[in-house]
Amino acid sequence: MALDVGGISTWNDERSDKSLLLQTAILAPKSAQYFRKISGITGENVKLPVFESTTPWQGGNACNYTTSGTTTVTQKTVTTVPITIQETICPNTLLDLFTKQTWVPGNTSTPETGQVIEFWIKRKLQQVALQLEAALWQGNTGTTNSTYLKAFNGMIQKIDAAADEVIVTAQASITTTTIKTIMDEICFNASTGIPSKIMDLDPKVFMGYDTFRILQESIKDDNAYHYAANGSDMKNFEMFYPGTNIKVIGVPGLNNNSAVDTGVLPTVVKNRIFATHSDNLVYAFNVENDASSFDVWYSKDDRNIKCHMRFYVGVLPVFTDQIVSYVNS
């Protein structure tokens, strides 16, 4: 009996636009919900114009015209890099495994692969989303022990490289005691915390899930059980810091346990906290315009099932002087 590949075609056509299948992974990272997203970027350096203008006042009694304002146009560059993910599996290796329960009754020579492929791709999409979430923050082309973290420079590397961010006083470690000191400085100190000039831009504080849980515990220990009110969403690791209108958001991309291929996660990306307004963090990609970037097919020449993903991705912290950054001493 020939291999029935009908299930693959059915699954592959589940959505009319195949790019949306990859988009599930690309847009799934939680941090992407809060970044300014720019689509259609395919590797080239895209210049984002920045306008600054002065408005000096003059006396209004005389009938004259004296120009005095100055407008300066600068540019910020965002670049995306192409990422490729590929894998080949032999369906015959599944003959004696759990997948037998998904076969067509009576077909014992070749597995019915439709449901198996669905599980396979679903898991790969989940893994891509998890890796992309971490890379958006922790990516660094100088990384040597992780294929996905070395693909492009993430927010942390670019913010640190700019060296003009607002620096929060470093603590030896983040504990239930020091987290309050750190957060109070971020939220209330106009010099070493969120700049007053961006307070009306709805600034947010980003931290890893692990740090967020320490903050939760600290507030719990203070018997401040009302902290979950006023729009907080503890189920999704989001809450307003008590006494403020500033939302604290836990994102897995800032976790201290992001997976690496060998060794350990670099210390420089651990225990980091950042605060800024969402439009100041740009997430660039091109998946919406590349309908052929995702494909799954049965290869008749070698009787294998193959998966191919390709997408572009990059990030840009626009005004780094409007970003508050914390790292342990």
Side-chain angles (χ1 to χ4, degrees):
M1 181 178 289
L3 177 63
D4 181 1
V5 296
I8 299 178
S9 296
T10 300
W11 179 87
N12 202 31
D13 292 335
E14 184 173 345
R15 302 189 184 193
S16 58
D17 182 357
K18 288 193 297 183
S19 70
L20 293 178
L21 208 49
L22 180 56
Q23 192 175 37
T24 301
I26 298 300
L27 296 183
K30 182 178 180 182
S31 294
Q33 301 175 34
Y34 302 98
F35 293 173
R36 177 184 174 189
K37 292 180 279 292
I38 301 179
S39 63
I41 310 300
T42 54
E44 68 271 17
N45 294 330
V46 176
K47 305 294 185 179
L48 305 179
V50 178
F51 287 83
E52 294 291 347
S53 187
T54 63
T55 54
W57 288 19
Q58 305 176 34
N61 292 327
C63 295
N64 58 21
Y65 180 88
T66 303
T67 184
S68 59
T70 300
T71 297
T72 304
V73 182
T74 58
Q75 293 177 320
K76 298 288 184 176
T77 302
V78 59
T79 301
T80 62
V81 299
I83 307 297
T84 298
I85 300 171
Q86 298 171 327
E87 186 179 4
T88 299
I89 62 172
C90 173
N92 291 340
T93 61
L94 306 175
L95 286 172
D96 295 323
L97 303 179
F98 74 96
T99 52
K100 185 175 294 187
Q101 64 184 311
T102 68
W103 300 353
V104 175
N107 184 354
T108 57
S109 298
T110 304
E112 205 298 313
T113 56
Q115 191 171 358
V116 176
I117 297 302
E118 183 179 354
F119 294 154
W120 176 46
I121 296 302
K122 181 179 180 180
R123 180 53 184 163
K124 292 185 79 66
L125 290 172
Q126 291 172 340
Q127 184 68 9
V128 171
L130 183 63
Q131 293 174 332
L132 182 56
E133 164 69 26
L136 293 179
W137 288 101
Q138 299 174 341
N140 189 319
T141 56
T143 299
T144 59
N145 62 342
S146 172
T147 59
Y148 74 94
L149 288 181
K150 73 176 183 180
F152 62 93
N153 288 325
M155 291 293 184
I156 293 177
Q157 191 280 335
K158 293 187 174 184
I159 293 170
D160 289 350
D164 62 349
E165 69 273 29
V166 180
I167 303 295
V168 180
T169 304
Q171 305 292 327
S173 62
I174 298 178
T175 67
T176 54
T177 299
T178 61
I179 188 62
K180 287 180 287 189
T181 301
I182 296 168
M183 286 300 300
D184 281 353
E185 183 171 346
I186 291 174
C187 294
F188 297 113
N189 192 315
S191 299
T192 57
I194 298 174
S196 298
K197 62 183 178 181
I198 70 168
M199 285 302 296
D200 61 346
L201 299 178
D202 190 22
K204 298 176 178 61
V205 180
F206 298 93
M207 60 179 62
Y209 283 170
D210 36 18
T211 303
F212 189 94
R213 294 180 67 187
I214 294 174
L215 177 60
Q216 280 183 295
E217 182 180 4
S218 175
I219 295 174
K220 172 190 68 74
D221 291 346
D222 288 342
N223 290 319
Y225 292 104
H226 61 285
Y227 70 93
N230 301 323
S232 295
D233 184 0
M234 304 307 297
K235 179 180 178 181
N236 291 313
F237 290 86
E238 298 180 7
M239 69 173 172
F240 285 95
Y241 189 62
T244 76
N245 61 344
I246 299 172
K247 179 169 281 191
V248 183
I249 302 170
V251 293
L254 288 173
N255 287 353
N256 292 324
N257 62 349
S258 296
V260 290
D261 301 327
T262 59
V264 296
L265 189 69
T267 302
V268 69
V269 301
K270 292 184 177 182
N271 300 296
R272 300 302 299 264
I273 302 174
F274 295 94
T276 190
H277 55 98
S278 294
D279 282 347
N280 202 26
L281 304 175
V282 169
Y283 173 35
F285 54 90
N286 187 49
V287 76
E288 288 182 337
N289 300 327
D290 190 358
S292 62
S293 61
F294 181 92
D295 204 3
V296 178
W297 71 96
Y298 174 69
S299 179
K300 292 183 178 181
D301 58 348
D302 57 8
R303 305 297 173 179
N304 286 317
I305 300 169
K306 300 180 180 181
C307 166
H308 171 81
M309 299 182 184
R310 189 171 189 266
F311 55 90
Y312 285 84
V313 64
V315 298
L316 172 68
V318 184
F319 300 107
T320 49
D321 62 335
Q322 296 179 10
I323 297 176
V324 179
S325 172
Y326 173 83
V327 62
N328 286 343
S329 59

